[in-house]
Amino acid sequence: MATIAFIGLGNMGGPMAANLVKAGHRVQVFDLQPEAVSRAAGTGCIPETSATEVVKQAQVVISMLQSGRQVDSLYLSGPEPLFQRLAPGTLVIDCSTIDATTAKATAERAAAHGLDFVDAPVSGGVAGAQAGTLTFIVGGAEAQFARAEPVLRQMGKNVFHAGPHGAGQMAKACNNMLLAVLMAGTCEALNMGINSGLDPKVLSEIIKQSSGNNWALQLYNPVPGVMENVPAARGYQGGFLVNLMCKDLNIAMDLSRDSGSPVPMGAAAKALFNLHQVAGHGGLDFSSLFRMFEQRKGGE
Ligand code: NAD
């Protein structure tokens, strides 16, 4: 069993660290928010007071932060760049969803310090993090993937090697752009049904058994009262924030430009989530986009 440093204990990182404890590892944890560290201590993690403390004696470092800027600051450009503190040979797994350019640059700098770095963003939401059923999408060299895979399997069900450094982030950007399109489409279809007098529970069952079936409808219904244990059932609190979805759609738009790919559906979804964000809903789960449709009944 390994000594693992886990940095970033938010909606995703907290339950992921708890699953590593259950797998028998010594898991040292740190977050900028002390209450997140206390919560993790309650699940058997060992609380630490700084990023430099948390990595002491660690063979593996895992980060689960919000953005590329935070990842760059933690490892490279902040007041105490962590790469300077890690013993050569340390495995560094960044699970945050960030842009591929930052992931590749971080991997190059890690190599210069004798560290093994992989980008390993995840899919599966908070429920997947809690249940240990996440999908990991890894970018890195073959040998680095082989080192990271057994650790990731203790937090997830599927572990894919997408390609070299940055490939994990590129695949994740494609996935999340499609998720945004699916969630927006699911919201507008269910809202049209409700406005036409249909029961959203019955309509959801019908579409799940029909050709409009999708992940948002199956596991993350955006209409309050249809499903239990989803953000819509608790006022859209927790989950995957609108702010984070907007960040991911910006990453996807950059990728579409860099790869010369038309993304009209992704661009439409980005516009919708941006409107919802600037209306003051950035801190709600992304399925709260349903409210935007719900509040706009027209055509009479
Ligand atoms: P979150 O905001 O809940 O958690 C991020 C945590 O990182 C916060 O607690 C913050 O205090 C901490 N943090 C930031 N900088 C830090 C630093 N320098 N040192 C220590 N702690 C630091 O976010 P989340 O929902 O857990 O998402 C994390 C990442 O996973 C994001 O990139 C997101 O896009 C991605 N993601 C989220 C979901 C989801 O359903 N929430 C699903 C898949 C992927």
Side-chain angles (χ1 to χ4, degrees), residues 171-184:
K172 172 69 178 166
C174 296
N175 179 77
N176 272 29
M177 185 179 75
L178 180 55
L179 172 64
V181 170
L182 291 174
M183 182 56 85

Side-chain angles (χ1 to χ4, degrees), residues 92-288:
V92 181
I93 304 175
D94 180 42
C95 294
S96 327
T97 303
I98 67 172
D99 59 287
T101 307
T102 301
K104 280 189 244 181
T106 311
E108 275 172 27
R109 296 282 295 279
H113 286 273
L115 308 167
D116 272 330
F117 178 89
V118 293
D119 44 297
V122 310
S123 179
V126 175
Q130 287 164 343
T133 57
L134 291 171
T135 293
F136 286 90
I137 313 166
V138 183
E142 194 68 58
Q144 293 167 333
F145 174 76
R147 275 191 81 188
E149 189 184 9
V151 182
L152 299 177
R153 287 228 171 263
Q154 291 170 330
M155 300 180 284
K157 195 169 61 172
N158 300 298
V159 184
F160 289 104
H161 188 193
H165 291 117
Q169 298 296 353
M170 290 179 193
K172 172 69 178 166
C174 296
N175 179 77
N176 272 29
M177 185 179 75
L178 180 55
L179 172 64
V181 170
L182 291 174
M183 182 56 85
T186 299
C187 289
E188 81 181 29
L190 292 180
N191 187 56
M192 182 167 76
I194 293 165
N195 285 348
S196 307
L198 300 178
D199 178 333
K201 263 192 189 172
V202 177
L203 178 59
S204 295
E205 278 312 306
I206 291 169
I207 302 180
K208 275 200 294 191
Q209 303 305 326
S210 304
S211 42
N213 187 17
N214 68 75
W215 186 92
L217 201 57
Q218 278 181 336
L219 297 173
Y220 221 99
N221 198 298
V223 181
V226 172
M227 266 181 140
E228 290 174 2
N229 298 323
V230 290
R234 47 175 189 268
Y236 301 107
Q237 298 301 312
F240 179 45
L241 304 192
V242 170
N243 284 339
L244 292 179
M245 179 51 100
C246 288
K247 178 248 322 176
D248 290 359
L249 286 166
N250 284 335
I251 292 172
M253 294 304 115
D254 287 349
L255 189 60
S256 84
R257 186 198 55 219
D258 295 347
S259 61
S261 315
V263 290
M265 300 296 287
K270 175 178 166 2
L272 286 170
F273 279 101
N274 278 352
L275 277 173
H276 194 47
Q277 183 185 40
V278 298
H281 307 303
L284 295 180
D285 177 75
F286 82 121
S287 63
S288 65

Side-chain angles (χ1 to χ4, degrees), residues 10-12 31-33 64-66 70 97 122 239-240 247:
N11 288 318
M12 296 295 285
D31 193 292
L32 294 176
Q33 299 181 33
M64 191 46 160
L65 312 183
Q66 291 160 335
Q70 288 178 353
T97 303
V122 310
F240 179 45
K247 178 248 322 176

Side-chain angles (χ1 to χ4, degrees), residues 3 7 257:
T3 296
I7 304 170
R257 186 198 55 219

